[in-house]
Each structure stands twice: as structure tokens, then as C-alpha cells.
Amino acid sequence: MLPFVAFLSVLLVVSGSGVCPCDRPELCQPIRGEREFEVFVFDVGGKTWKSYNWSMVTTVAAFGSYDAELMCFAHSKGARVVLKGDVHIPYIVDKANRTRWITEQVSLAKKQFMDGINIDVEQAVEDGSPEYYALTALVNETTEAFHGEIPGSQVSFDVAWSPKCIDKRCYDYVTIAKSCDLVFVMSYDEQSQITGDCIAMANAPFNQTLKAYDDYLDLKIHSNKLLMGVPWYGYDYPCVNLTQEGICYIPKVPFRGAPCSDAAGKQKTYKWIMKQLNSPTSSGRLWDDEQKAPYFYYKDETGQSHQVWYDDPQSLFPKADYVMSKGLRGIGMWNGNILDYSDDPVARQQTALMWNALLGSKLG
Ligand SMILES: *[C@@H]1O[C@H](CO)[C@@H](O)[C@H](O)[C@H]1NC(C)=O
Ligand SMILES: *[C@@H]1O[C@H](CO)[C@@H](O)[C@H](O)[C@H]1NC(C)=O
Ligand SMILES: *[C@@H]1O[C@H](CO)[C@@H](O)[C@H](O)[C@H]1NC(C)=O
Ligand SMILES: *[C@@H]1O[C@H](CO)[C@@H](O)[C@H](O)[C@H]1NC(C)=O
Ligand SMILES: *[C@@H]1O[C@H](CO)[C@@H](O)[C@H](O)[C@H]1NC(C)=O
């Protein structure tokens, strides 16, 4: 009896954590291998992860509550599961606080048998401020700690669609990219600061999206550090007036210094969009050749006109092709859960096409 108890406690101390929840203990080992092309999935909870195309997925950022079943399953497919890392930046200006935060994240990751962390702080930071340097130090020290404590672990950092102080996020992008394994470029919400006419536009217009990668690359951030994040959601805008040319003027909702923003619209899932597209008042799918994005109109029950902008395989293919041609680290989406994973045959096909679009037109 006693030796057995002693043996058990040694095991617990060694793993620094609880008992492995997987049916095969080796599934609690961190993933070490590097795959050539990353497919990085944000998972926000629920069980739809069971329907992901696991032949592609390399990393799942677990933004929902911890799901041991997801961790075991991802590991069985050779995919990493990483923590969500968010912290109030002014708090980590203090070195001791920063170290405490990092220690907590590493110990949580170990306890849950996870393979790294995705740092997602989307706060405004002034160039050259104490927060600016603290954030850069946070990324460096988090990477050092994770790599030291969890061999093979991955530390990633989420950045805005462009490095040009978008939403007043003026970070040291160059050093941050050097200090972690990859940066996830959130190529969406690109209308968060509308300075021209207050009108509905695409979530991630093609030229603007690609130009911003050129800006990141011009900073000498290596292409294999950059991962393109695409939206699996769109925006539904109420039109305060709709011109004859079909331009949808939207309510003025200011954001971080800009008079108008996409906050005038509501974020809608691809699943919702596919249903709404076929509703009785819908215009049906239209294509904007300048922004290279699909959109449609519909009228709600009060008679109010709406314009909906989104991404679908036709707008995603050329983005994924750019990822391939520039040799970026991979692609990912916000978020994995929002396709229609039901058994409906039309939904099944739409969902498979969205996954396949991630690999560009070679599959499409
Ligand atoms: C550091 O953490 C302590 C305890 O949580 C807190 O009181 C203090 O304000 C923090 N320091 C800064 C600079 O935020
Ligand atoms: C962190 O910064 C130190 C000091 O500049 C540097 O030697 C080290 O390589 C950096 N680590 C990472 C992961 O960037
Ligand atoms: C729609 O609103 C815009 C901005 O307020 C205005 O310039 C334009 O004249 C309006 N168009 C119509 C048809 O009311
Ligand atoms: C997009 O970029 C291409 C290539 O630079 C250019 O030919 C085209 O005119 C641009 N389209 C728009 C709408 O800006
Ligand atoms: C999953 O992705 C692979 C490519 O990695 C593709 O060949 C396969 O058809 C996809 N599966 C489904 C069900 O679409």
C-alpha cells in the first residue's frame, strides 16, 4: 500500500499536475513536432470541434472553458492545444507582476497538459510608453518560460490586420515577432476605424488585406513568422439610407478616434449568413469586384434594410493562395465553431468547402 502511494505521488510531482484525463497516458505528452504548414483554429467552446477537419488542424487555441476531451483528441491527431493569454497591460509593467502572470500561465498549461499559449491582448498602447516595452518583454519572457518548461511548446501573439497602429495598438511588432514562435495576423475587422464615408464595406477587403502583409514583411518580419487569420464571420449592417447605387450608409459609431466603425453592425456567423442569404427578402449573393468580397441585402421584419458583408470560399481562395505564394507560416480563422456542422447535406458541403478553402485553390 505505502509504496504504491509513494509511487503515485512521485508521478504527480513529476508531471506537476493532476492525473492524465486521456484514455492513453501518452496523449498527455506535449506535442513536439513542427509541421510545415500551420492551420491555427480558435475554438470558443462547445463540441463542434468534433467535426473539424483534423487532417489539417495543427493548433487549437482554446478560448472556451477547458475541455480535457478536446486536449486528448487533438493530441491523438498530433495537434497542439494552447491557452488563451490575456492580461491588463498596465499591470505587467511591474516586473514582479509580469513574472507572476507568466508563472501562473505555465503552471496552468502544465496542469491541463497544454502545448503553449496564444497571447491575445488587443489593448491600445502608445509607441514608446512603459506599456510598449512591458508588452514586448512579456512576449520574450513568456516564450522563454514556456520553451524552458514545456519542450516543443508554441507561443503565439495576435496582431491587428496592419502594423500601422490600428485601433491605437502601437506595438513593437518587429521585436514581438522575433520573441515568439508565430504571430497570428487578424485580417478582419478592417472597418474598425472608418475615416471616409460612413458606409458598409467588406470585413477584409482583398487589396487592403494583402497590402498590410507587405507592410509586415517590409519591417523585415520573416514570412515564416506570419500566419494569416481569416474571418468565418461577417457583418450585418442596418442601412440608415440605401442609395440607388446600393451604397448602405450606416449609423455613426466612433471607435478609438475614428468617427465610424464596424461596431455599427453586428458580427454574424457563417452559419447564420448562409441561412439569411436564402431568406425571402434576401437579394441573394452579390459580388463586389473591387473588394473581392460577397455581400447581400435583406429587409428585417420592421422593413429596415440591411447589408451583409462576409467571406466565402470565393473570397478566401485568393487569400490562401497569397499565403502559399509568400511562404507564410500558415492560415487560421476566427473561429472554428461557427460553421454549420449539422447533418444537413447542403450545410455539410458548405462547411467542407470553407475548410478546404484554407489550403487555397489547389484543393478548391
Ligand atoms: C502589481 O500587482 C499588485 C498585486 O496584484 C497590484 O496591487 C499592483 O497594482 C500591481 N502593479 C502594477 C504596476 O499594476
Ligand atoms: C529574450 O531577450 C533576451 C535578451 O535580449 C535574448 O537573449 C533572448 O534571445 C530573447 N528570447 C526570445 C525567445 O526572444
Ligand atoms: C444618405 O445619407 C448620406 C449621409 O448622411 C447623405 O449624404 C445622402 O444624401 C443620403 N442619401 C439619400 C438617398 O438619402
Ligand atoms: C488591387 O491591386 C491590384 C494590384 O496592385 C490593382 O491592379 C487593382 O487596381 C487594385 N484594386 C483596387 C480596387 O484597388
Ligand atoms: C479534409 O482536408 C483534407 C486536406 O487536408 C482534404 O483532402 C479532405 O477532403 C478534407 N475532408 C473533408 C471531409 O472535406
PDB file of all heavy atoms in Angstrom, residues 140 143-144 178-179, ligand 2:
ATOM      1  N   ASN A 140       8.692  38.061 -24.791  1.00  0.00           N
ATOM      2  CA  ASN A 140      10.004  37.423 -24.655  1.00  0.00           C
ATOM      3  C   ASN A 140      10.017  36.475 -23.447  1.00  0.00           C
ATOM      4  O   ASN A 140      10.403  35.315 -23.558  1.00  0.00           O
ATOM      5  CB  ASN A 140      11.087  38.514 -24.503  1.00  0.00           C
ATOM      6  CG  ASN A 140      12.455  37.943 -24.167  1.00  0.00           C
ATOM      7  OD1 ASN A 140      12.660  37.375 -23.102  1.00  0.00           O
ATOM      8  ND2 ASN A 140      13.412  38.083 -25.088  1.00  0.00           N
ATOM      9  N   THR A 143       7.788  33.372 -23.779  1.00  0.00           N
ATOM     10  CA  THR A 143       8.369  32.379 -24.679  1.00  0.00           C
ATOM     11  C   THR A 143       9.499  31.623 -23.980  1.00  0.00           C
ATOM     12  O   THR A 143       9.569  30.385 -24.030  1.00  0.00           O
ATOM     13  CB  THR A 143       8.882  33.054 -25.963  1.00  0.00           C
ATOM     14  OG1 THR A 143       7.806  33.769 -26.552  1.00  0.00           O
ATOM     15  CG2 THR A 143       9.403  32.035 -26.960  1.00  0.00           C
ATOM     16  N   GLU A 144      10.375  32.370 -23.319  1.00  0.00           N
ATOM     17  CA  GLU A 144      11.472  31.721 -22.587  1.00  0.00           C
ATOM     18  C   GLU A 144      10.920  30.714 -21.578  1.00  0.00           C
ATOM     19  O   GLU A 144      11.390  29.584 -21.491  1.00  0.00           O
ATOM     20  CB  GLU A 144      12.326  32.775 -21.854  1.00  0.00           C
ATOM     21  CG  GLU A 144      13.103  33.717 -22.765  1.00  0.00           C
ATOM     22  CD  GLU A 144      14.344  33.067 -23.384  1.00  0.00           C
ATOM     23  OE1 GLU A 144      14.776  32.015 -22.876  1.00  0.00           O
ATOM     24  OE2 GLU A 144      14.862  33.603 -24.388  1.00  0.00           O
ATOM     25  N   LYS A 178       9.995  38.509 -33.327  1.00  0.00           N
ATOM     26  CA  LYS A 178      11.261  37.790 -33.052  1.00  0.00           C
ATOM     27  C   LYS A 178      11.173  36.972 -31.775  1.00  0.00           C
ATOM     28  O   LYS A 178      11.847  35.951 -31.642  1.00  0.00           O
ATOM     29  CB  LYS A 178      12.400  38.810 -32.850  1.00  0.00           C
ATOM     30  CG  LYS A 178      13.074  39.260 -34.114  1.00  0.00           C
ATOM     31  CD  LYS A 178      14.473  39.809 -33.798  1.00  0.00           C
ATOM     32  CE  LYS A 178      15.055  40.454 -35.033  1.00  0.00           C
ATOM     33  NZ  LYS A 178      14.981  41.939 -34.994  1.00  0.00           N
ATOM     34  N   SER A 179      10.355  37.460 -30.819  1.00  0.00           N
ATOM     35  CA  SER A 179      10.361  36.889 -29.479  1.00  0.00           C
ATOM     36  C   SER A 179       9.372  35.755 -29.276  1.00  0.00           C
ATOM     37  O   SER A 179       9.240  35.257 -28.163  1.00  0.00           O
ATOM     38  CB  SER A 179      10.060  37.988 -28.452  1.00  0.00           C
ATOM     39  OG  SER A 179      10.890  39.093 -28.660  1.00  0.00           O
TER      40      SER A 179
HETATM   41  C1  LIG B   2      14.737  37.420 -24.854  1.00  0.00           C
HETATM   42  O1  LIG B   2      15.599  38.520 -24.681  1.00  0.00           O
HETATM   43  C2  LIG B   2      16.952  38.160 -24.398  1.00  0.00           C
HETATM   44  C3  LIG B   2      17.717  39.438 -24.070  1.00  0.00           C
HETATM   45  O2  LIG B   2      17.594  40.342 -25.130  1.00  0.00           O
HETATM   46  C4  LIG B   2      17.504  37.396 -25.584  1.00  0.00           C
HETATM   47  O3  LIG B   2      18.832  36.988 -25.333  1.00  0.00           O
HETATM   48  C5  LIG B   2      16.649  36.171 -25.845  1.00  0.00           C
HETATM   49  O4  LIG B   2      17.081  35.514 -27.007  1.00  0.00           O
HETATM   50  C6  LIG B   2      15.197  36.587 -26.016  1.00  0.00           C
HETATM   51  N1  LIG B   2      14.358  35.397 -26.106  1.00  0.00           N
HETATM   52  C7  LIG B   2      13.468  35.236 -27.053  1.00  0.00           C
HETATM   53  C8  LIG B   2      12.652  33.999 -27.001  1.00  0.00           C
HETATM   54  O5  LIG B   2      13.282  36.064 -27.923  1.00  0.00           O
END
